[in-house]
Amino acid sequence: QVRLVESGGGLVQPGESLRLSCQAPRSILSTFAPLTVGWYRQAPGKQRELVAEITSNSRTTYADSVKDRFTIRRDNSRKTVYLQLTNLKSEDTAVYYCNAGGGGPSSTWGQGTQVTVSS
């Protein structure tokens, strides 16, 4: 199964920052640029939620809970989408997943990267 590759998660203290990366596998490199890419997260016992999304022309949307703290951007030359997380809070603790293709049944997911915010 084709998967995106996420990296950059870790354990940080409240108020600190992280940068997550999502790289497209070689099999979808040629079609990555036109795809909408989103970062989702799932905390224990909760449903997966969309955190931020970026379209092919770099239009961005954010969940209210992360506006002004998280920034999504894409570098199509590197087939990579980044999520900059700043001023992290304990409630940001979750597994973060990358998705290319709008989140539907035919879209491509990554394996997830753990972000833990704890003092």
Side-chain angles (χ1 to χ4, degrees), residues 26-102:
R26 295 185 64 84
S27 59
I28 67 168
L29 285 179
S30 62
T31 59
F32 185 74
L35 296 176
T36 291
V37 178
W39 280 98
Y40 294 72
R41 68 185 181 187
Q42 187 166 20
K46 294 189 176 181
Q47 288 191 329
R48 190 173 297 188
E49 62 173 347
L50 178 62
V51 174
E53 192 171 66
I54 186 166
T55 66
S56 58
N57 60 356
S58 293
R59 180 185 299 177
T60 58
T61 56
Y62 296 92
D64 287 343
S65 58
V66 306
K67 277 181 182 176
D68 301 322
R69 298 191 299 120
F70 292 6
T71 303
I72 189 171
R73 70 175 182 90
R74 68 190 301 160
D75 183 343
N76 287 333
S77 66
R78 296 179 182 271
K79 306 300 187 289
T80 302
V81 171
Y82 303 96
L83 185 67
Q84 181 72 41
L85 292 65
T86 63
N87 191 20
L88 282 160
K89 305 176 181 180
S90 57
E91 52 263 43
D92 295 318
T93 295
V95 179
Y96 284 70
Y97 297 91
C98 181
N99 174 274

Side-chain angles (χ1 to χ4, degrees), residues 10-33:
L11 171 63
V12 296
Q13 295 187 346
E16 293 187 337
S17 300
L18 283 173
R19 188 180 76 163
L20 308 183
S21 298
C22 168
Q23 189 167 38
R26 295 185 64 84
S27 59
I28 67 168
L29 285 179
S30 62
T31 59
F32 185 74

